[in-house]
């Protein structure tokens, strides 16, 4: 085969809008995995959220979790990036408290929140896991003593408020963070320079695969670096325009088994 690894975003890409893996998609991925192609799930989700999708898919996957800040290969961490505790406290004070929304904090397999709202409750339902409710000052003190730092932060709110927060955060003097919208109601906040594209490069280096021998599927802003880094970048039909402009192909939407369509019509026919 001309490609040795397929890197797939989860929400809006692998899953349809009902958070299901369509049967055609499941079958097509299982077929290429059976031929020895590595499958990577690259997501903003925490490990528990990625693992539940891996289980449903029925294929052993490499997992680039928390926007690629925590990478698991055979359940061993092969790459991790961290934010400072000062940044965590600052984002909480300047954004979460100001806008009266919970701050989501991710570290390895841990998910902590400073409160609850409809978005936290929705995530509990999707992931099937309860967060740890915490106070940022206390958590920062505990983690400072234990030499622990977060991989990623997240804020969630209605799309109009998210756009306002996003604009404000861009003007803030946080030199050690990057951020992107993974959905119209989520802002992911992660260490500067960390992207899904960089995670893909880490995985390829670990496996001894040339990054030109990889394929990536995505739909949102967070996926653009992965689409650019891969040998072949494929945008979902439901992808944002900025990602479609960077992709080599545009397939059908996540609700139309776009991954299966691309594998059958772009990848296998091109061998």
């Amino acid at each position: 085969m001309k490609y040795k690894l397929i890197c797939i975003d989860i929400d809006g890409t692998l899953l349809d809008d009902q958070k299901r893996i369509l049967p055609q998609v499941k079958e097509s991925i299982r077929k290429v995995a059976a031929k020895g192609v590595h499958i990577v799930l690259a997501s903003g989700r925490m490990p528990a959220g990625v693992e539940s999708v891996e289980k449903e898919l029925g294929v052993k996957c490499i997992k680039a979790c928390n926007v690629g800040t925590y990478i698991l290969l055979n359940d061993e961490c092969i790459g991790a990036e961290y934010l400072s505790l000062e940044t965590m406290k600052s984002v909480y004070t300047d954004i979460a408290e100001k806008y009266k929304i919970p701050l989501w904090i991710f570290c390895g397999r841990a998910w902590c929140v400073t409160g609850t709202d409809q978005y936290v409750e929705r995530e509990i339902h999707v992931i099937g896991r309860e967060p740890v409710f915490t106070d940022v000052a206390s958590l920062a003190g505990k983690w400072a003593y234990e030499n622990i730092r977060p991989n990623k932060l997240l804020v969630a709110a209605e799309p109009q408020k998210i756009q306002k927060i996003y604009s404000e955060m861009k003007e803030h003097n946080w030199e050690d963070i990057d951020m992107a919208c993974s959905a119209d109601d989520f802002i992911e906040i992660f260490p500067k320079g960390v992207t899904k594209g960089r995670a893909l490069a880490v995985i390829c280096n670990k496996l001894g695969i040339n990054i030109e021998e990889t394929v990536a599927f995505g739909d949102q802003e967070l996926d653009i670096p992965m689409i650019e880094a891969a040998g072949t970048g494929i945008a979902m039909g439901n992808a944002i325009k900025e990602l479609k402009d960077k992709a080599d192909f545009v397939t059908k939407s996540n609700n139309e088994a776009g991954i299966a369509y691309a594998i059958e019509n772009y990848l296998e026919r091109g061998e």
Side-chain angles (χ1 to χ4, degrees):
M1 305 181 81
K2 291 184 178 179
Y3 58 99
K4 297 180 179 179
L5 182 150
I6 298 180
C7 193
I8 307 170
D9 169 58
I10 293 179
D11 296 284
T13 301
L14 177 63
L15 305 184
D16 70 4
D17 290 348
Q18 303 303 313
K19 302 298 182 184
R20 303 170 303 187
I21 306 176
L22 295 176
Q24 310 96 297
V25 173
K26 193 178 296 185
E27 181 181 1
S28 65
I29 293 174
R30 287 177 175 177
K31 282 182 178 179
V32 295
K35 295 178 181 179
V37 175
H38 296 277
I39 306 298
V40 176
L41 298 180
S43 176
R45 289 187 177 204
M46 70 189 89
V50 180
E51 287 165 347
S52 63
V53 174
E54 176 189 38
K55 183 177 180 180
E56 182 182 352
L57 187 59
V59 172
K60 188 65 178 175
C61 301
I62 301 162
K63 298 171 282 289
C65 313
N66 293 337
V67 199
T69 62
Y70 190 71
I71 305 170
L72 294 169
L73 172 62
N74 297 324
D75 298 321
E76 174 190 353
C77 179
I78 62 167
E81 303 284 348
Y82 303 97
L83 292 162
S84 72
L85 295 175
E86 289 305 313
T87 293
M88 180 180 77
K89 291 188 289 185
S90 178
V91 171
Y92 174 69
T93 301
D94 296 349
I95 299 299
E97 278 196 323
K98 177 180 177 180
Y99 286 94
K100 296 180 172 56
I101 56 177
L103 180 65
W104 302 18
I105 304 164
F106 300 88
C107 178
R109 294 182 173 275
W111 174 32
C112 304
V113 295
T114 61
T116 190
D117 61 8
Q118 63 177 315
Y119 299 100
V120 172
E121 293 300 322
R122 184 183 69 186
E123 191 73 3
I124 291 170
H125 176 72
V126 170
I127 302 300
R129 177 171 178 173
E130 296 277 344
V132 174
F133 291 91
T134 189
D135 169 79
V136 165
S138 300
L139 183 67
K142 178 176 183 291
W143 280 2
Y145 178 77
E146 297 172 349
N147 195 28
I148 296 172
R149 291 173 292 156
N151 299 115
K152 187 193 79 168
L153 309 173
L154 183 148
V155 290
E158 57 269 23
Q160 187 174 1
K161 182 181 282 190
I162 282 294
Q163 288 306 311
K164 184 177 180 181
I165 293 172
Y166 195 63
S167 297
E168 182 174 328
M169 291 188 71
K170 283 184 175 179
E171 297 175 1
H172 200 288
N173 189 31
W174 282 304
E175 297 181 351
D176 61 336
I177 73 169
D178 279 331
M179 58 184 177
C181 290
S182 57
D184 60 7
D185 49 7
F186 278 175
I187 300 175
E188 313 263 2
I189 304 153
F190 41 90
K192 194 167 190 66
V194 174
T195 67
K196 289 186 180 183
R198 180 168 161 180
L200 176 58
V202 169
I203 293 166
C204 286
N205 183 62
K206 182 72 174 180
L207 297 176
I209 293 174
N210 188 320
I211 202 165
E212 290 298 316
E213 299 174 306
T214 68
V215 178
F217 289 88
D219 73 308
Q220 285 289 340
E221 181 184 6
L222 273 174
D223 303 318
I224 292 175
M226 180 175 74
I227 293 295
E228 292 179 310
T232 302
I234 301 177
M236 304 301 292
N238 53 291
I240 60 172
K241 182 180 183 301
E242 293 83 354
L243 188 142
K244 288 180 177 178
D245 290 343
K246 300 287 186 180
D248 297 295
F249 300 106
V250 178
T251 186
K252 293 184 178 182
S253 76
N254 62 322
N255 293 322
E256 301 170 295
I259 290 176
Y261 183 85
I263 289 174
E264 293 164 9
N265 293 277
Y266 301 151
L267 302 182
E268 293 189 351
R269 289 186 183 181
E271 291 180 4

